[in-house]
Amino acid sequence: MALSQVVGRLIGVRQHLVDPGGGGADRVPRPTTALVVGGGIAGMSAAVVLAERGVAVTVLEAAPTLGGRLGAWPEALADGSQQNEHGFHAFFRQYYNWRSILRRVDGDLGFLKAIPGYPILSEQWPTEEFGKLPPAPPANLLALLLRSPSLRLADLRVMDRDAALPLLSYDPVRTYADLDDTTADELLASLRLPDRARAMLFEVFSHSFFNHEAEMSAAEMVAQFHFYLLGNPEGLAFDCPDEDYATAIWQPLTRYVEKHGGRILTDCAATGVHHDGEGWRVTTTDGGSHPAGHVVLAVDPPALAALVAASPDLAERAPELAARMPAFGTPGPPYAVARYWCDGDVAAERAVFSGVSRQPTLDSVTLYHRLENESRRWARQTGGSVIELHAYACEPGVPAEELAERMRRELVALWPEAGDLRVRELRARVEAQAPAFTPGSHSWRPGVRTDATGVYLAGDGIATDFPSALMERSAATGIIAANHILRAEGAAAEPVRSIRPRGLLAGRLNRQNTT
């Protein structure tokens, strides 16, 4: 264990048990049925836990393949078939609940490989490396201040330290009370940071949540800064699968759920949720009607809002949920993913994954042929490369191919040799499914339990009372939804874990506010 982690554990920077689980029989003591609408991380996490406990669970997925924003599907290229994916995702090591689900199919998580380094590229400033900081706070913060060329000790003298205190003082109640109506942009401006530090340390970070800092709650930015940097013992280190998501995750999880008696139906979009006697019934586009005692709605915000609007029974029994849907169903800005199959390669020293700062469109670069086995084999056979470019929060109304070309040109400005690559194949798309974390949204963001008995929500836009984000929030809310069902039916629940619940200086901020 690294010295920083030892010190971190002494001050409470360690894994925390949010819900100990247990409290009942290993399996449901009576016949229990559940429907899970949505086959992404949230829905499949719920399905795994329910199936293990003997619940007759059926997953209804609208797409032909599972995964949601972690999905993968076959793509026909001119020289053969390849798996294409929704986009690169970093499996951070404090994703305790998501990793617990993945251990059902690989106990050692052997398919996850460490990604060396976490560079941030900029056309204006030299590359900055964040992947080699000590893993745990406060050592990682001290190392950042000592090593980062973007924020020197002299800059701290002019920085507004009172304005910066909330970054170190996350509290699940006070942070939102004080900062949720403020934008991340306003908070950053109040710090009086050098422009380089703001761009390299904070703006890249906020874009990673598919939100512009001018449209994102300052409280959410503080919460995520705590979750990824200042409150967890693992630091910014992350891993990624060495196979495509379908091969490494969704096919094995499908087999696991089916082995435990569950069913998974794809190409089966829900059209309505109806009250049915003592339970519920979900209708689908294929004319199906699926009854169950419990329902978990694990779909993205626009789909959830549309489903509630199409379900008068549900809206009548859950008026609070229905009232929150118009705002919740408005997603964050569009995001774009472009994958290039190219002749030739970029320089050998280029990192597998890089964040990007202050380019108009481009937010990250992933070299799939140095990450994933299938792409690695293709590159070896052709002498080429497989490069994926992301825009996390891009301009609305721009076609995917145009965004892809903008990103490609911006990459060439950072890595000039990329301009010499001939593009053999391109797959580009632009979507708007990620949740928005706008100022003031915390007060109306729905949680897992709804005001309709037997109906639960899960996903990365659903509120939790402990630190979580992105894939980990999806998995955690899926498990919590399953736990509500299990406890209602007399079965043991699954443990839920998270990081340190409050910031290192949260006590100091609370004392200041009470004097």
Side-chain angles (χ1 to χ4, degrees), residues 148-229:
S148 173
S150 298
L151 187 62
R152 301 185 182 277
L153 293 177
D155 299 322
L156 299 180
R157 298 192 184 100
V158 298
M159 183 177 177
D160 188 328
R161 289 182 288 277
D162 288 338
L165 185 58
L167 292 172
L168 301 170
S169 311
Y170 170 75
D171 180 272
V173 175
R174 183 168 293 281
T175 294
Y176 287 97
D178 291 346
L179 293 174
D180 198 43
D181 290 326
T182 302
T183 68
D185 184 60
E186 291 168 334
L187 176 61
L188 293 176
S190 74
L191 301 180
R192 298 203 299 264
L193 288 167
D195 188 51
R196 176 178 176 176
R198 173 172 172 157
M200 299 294 277
L201 302 181
F202 289 98
E203 290 179 6
V204 171
F205 185 77
S206 63
H207 282 198
S208 299
F209 300 96
F210 305 95
N211 281 252
H212 295 292
E213 58 271 14
E215 301 166 355
M216 183 180 184
S217 158
E220 291 291 347
M221 189 188 75
V222 170
Q224 305 320 331
F225 205 65
H226 173 73
F227 183 65
Y228 284 97
L229 185 64

Side-chain angles (χ1 to χ4, degrees), residues 314-387:
L314 176 58
E316 180 181 348
R317 285 165 173 77
E320 184 179 334
L321 173 66
R324 296 180 182 204
M325 284 300 98
F328 180 73
T330 302
Y335 57 90
V337 180
R339 186 175 290 196
Y340 295 82
W341 286 263
C342 301
D343 285 334
D345 196 359
V346 295
E349 68 269 17
R350 302 306 188 192
V352 172
F353 173 81
S354 302
V356 178
S357 175
R358 286 282 175 90
Q359 290 288 45
T361 314
L362 181 63
D363 283 309
S364 71
V365 185
T366 307
L367 304 181
Y368 262 84
H369 59 294
R370 301 181 189 176
L371 170 71
E372 205 174 75
N373 290 333
E374 184 180 52
S375 294
R376 187 180 288 114
R377 288 191 293 270
W378 184 89
R380 191 163 49 242
Q381 292 166 3
T382 63
S385 57
V386 183
I387 302 174

Side-chain angles (χ1 to χ4, degrees), residues 1-11 13 133-140 233 235:
M1 182 182 293
L3 178 61
S4 74
Q5 290 174 304
V6 173
V7 174
R9 288 180 66 86
L10 293 175
I11 60 174
V13 183
L133 296 172
N140 60 1

